[in-house]
Amino acid sequence: NLTGYAARTRVPDRSREVVEGTSYRGRFDYTDDRYGLSAEHMLIDRGFNPEMGFTRRTDVRRTFAQARFSPRPRRSRVVRKLTWQTSLDYVTDADASALQTREASALFRVDFQSSDQMSVEYTREFERLPARFTVAPGVFVPAGTYGSETTRFSYTMGQQRRISGRMSVARGTLYGGTRTEATYSGRWGVLPQFSIEPSLSFNRAELPYGSFYARLMSSRLTVTPTARMLISSLVQYNVDAHILSSSVRLRWEYIGGSELFVVYSDGRDTTYRNRPGLQNRSFAVKVTRLFRIG
């Protein structure tokens, strides 16, 4: 697969002088079952301004490369596939004069005949902070350059199981300190029409500038009364920020290709447990209708 684009903008500024900018991207992907190879290069000039479009960041140049080798053991009753994969992500400013971020990773994964997966990944990162960064309430990381290393072990259970999901633990460095992470995201199939998707995330960081926890709990409920109707609900609680958010969504395909959406969501501050304070609330309805002519 080959994909790419090239774009140029000419926009007058407040002094009516024309500011020009260029952006381009090229990507190559070879996705064979046994071998994989990807390469990408992207540029967004400092003056690039898509008035009718959207760009998250300007003055950036990104180079990415990835290689994969995935043999399938022929006579194994336990292992379906083995995967070795490595990648490099290199980001600078548009002139390539200052390195912004760099990430190099190496992955080894085992796919079992049961559809379970086990993986070990090592990541090495570099990051440049142009200004002081608030990583947690009361914990500030000074401007400068930082390197970090992370080793992560993950195990994923196949989705054909009534209880499935992904568990991972990680340990590494962060902004001159250490970080420990444990996560679980799963799916419990209670009934064919009803499932629960719990998620837990625990992070502990010990930095020279202070220590903090980042704990997040969430659960998604999904009900499918009919083949054309789905009701889902998400509840998420940030333990350390004392924020509880929830949402409920109804999707109904009342006619083929035509849908009704009803969504309710809110956010609450749980600092005072006896009186959770409402921070935001929204209610939205969307109806689509498909007309066929001919």
Side-chain angles (χ1 to χ4, degrees), residues 61-137:
R61 182 185 296 269
R62 177 176 183 252
T63 302
F64 174 78
Q66 183 180 84
R68 173 182 55 83
F69 176 53
S70 304
R72 293 179 179 266
R74 295 183 178 181
R75 299 180 180 180
S76 176
R77 296 183 179 181
V78 179
V79 177
R80 179 182 300 173
K81 181 192 290 188
L82 300 173
T83 298
W84 287 267
Q85 179 174 289
T86 183
S87 65
L88 175 65
D89 199 350
Y90 196 86
V91 179
T92 68
D93 57 5
D95 298 330
S97 59
L99 176 62
Q100 303 294 331
T101 61
R102 180 185 62 230
E103 178 179 315
S105 66
L107 169 74
F108 172 69
R109 186 178 68 238
V110 181
D111 290 52
F112 298 100
Q113 298 289 2
S114 62
S115 295
D116 290 3
Q117 290 183 348
M118 181 181 67
S119 65
V120 179
E121 183 178 16
Y122 172 77
T123 304
R124 189 169 184 175
E125 298 175 276
F126 169 89
E127 182 178 8
R128 182 187 302 276
L129 293 181
R132 189 177 71 165
F133 172 59
T134 304
V135 67

Side-chain angles (χ1 to χ4, degrees), residues 268-282:
R268 299 177 183 273
D269 184 354
T270 64
T271 303
Y272 304 101
R273 297 185 178 181
N274 297 331
R275 297 181 292 110
L278 181 65
Q279 292 183 317
N280 57 76
R281 175 186 290 163
S282 65

Side-chain angles (χ1 to χ4, degrees), residues 9-186:
T9 61
R10 301 179 73 253
V11 181
D13 60 11
R14 294 183 178 180
S15 62
R16 296 188 177 182
E17 294 184 3
V18 176
V19 178
E20 299 184 353
T22 302
S23 177
Y24 61 80
R25 174 179 177 265
R27 184 177 177 94
F28 166 79
D29 288 290
Y30 179 76
T31 54
D32 183 65
D33 182 70
R34 187 176 179 88
Y35 301 98
L37 182 65
S38 298
E40 176 184 332
H41 186 74
M42 180 194 69
L43 168 71
I44 303 178
D45 271 346
R46 183 181 294 106
F48 185 73
N49 183 12
E51 297 270 27
M52 297 298 292
F54 174 77
T55 181
R56 292 182 298 174
R57 180 177 176 182
T58 59
D59 190 21
V60 61
R61 182 185 296 269
R62 177 176 183 252
T63 302
F64 174 78
Q66 183 180 84
R68 173 182 55 83
F69 176 53
S70 304
R72 293 179 179 266
R74 295 183 178 181
R75 299 180 180 180
S76 176
R77 296 183 179 181
V78 179
V79 177
R80 179 182 300 173
K81 181 192 290 188
L82 300 173
T83 298
W84 287 267
Q85 179 174 289
T86 183
S87 65
L88 175 65
D89 199 350
Y90 196 86
V91 179
T92 68
D93 57 5
D95 298 330
S97 59
L99 176 62
Q100 303 294 331
T101 61
R102 180 185 62 230
E103 178 179 315
S105 66
L107 169 74
F108 172 69
R109 186 178 68 238
V110 181
D111 290 52
F112 298 100
Q113 298 289 2
S114 62
S115 295
D116 290 3
Q117 290 183 348
M118 181 181 67
S119 65
V120 179
E121 183 178 16
Y122 172 77
T123 304
R124 189 169 184 175
E125 298 175 276
F126 169 89
E127 182 178 8
R128 182 187 302 276
L129 293 181
R132 189 177 71 165
F133 172 59
T134 304
V135 67
V139 181
F140 304 97
V141 179
T145 59
Y146 298 89
S148 63
E149 300 179 2
T150 303
T151 302
R152 176 175 285 101
F153 173 82
S154 304
Y155 193 91
T156 304
M157 294 175 286
Q159 295 186 358
Q160 80 280 4
R161 302 178 186 273
R162 175 166 291 186
I163 298 178
S164 61
R166 181 176 184 268
M167 299 168 287
S168 69
V169 292
R171 175 75 174 177
T173 57
L174 178 70
Y175 298 129
T178 60
R179 179 174 68 97
T180 304
E181 174 190 309
T183 63
Y184 169 75
S185 59

Side-chain angles (χ1 to χ4, degrees), residues 245-262:
S245 59
S246 60
S247 65
V248 180
R249 187 186 73 151
L250 166 69
R251 174 186 173 273
W252 176 35
E253 188 177 7
Y254 58 93
I255 300 177
S258 302
E259 297 174 317
L260 167 67
F261 294 91
V262 180

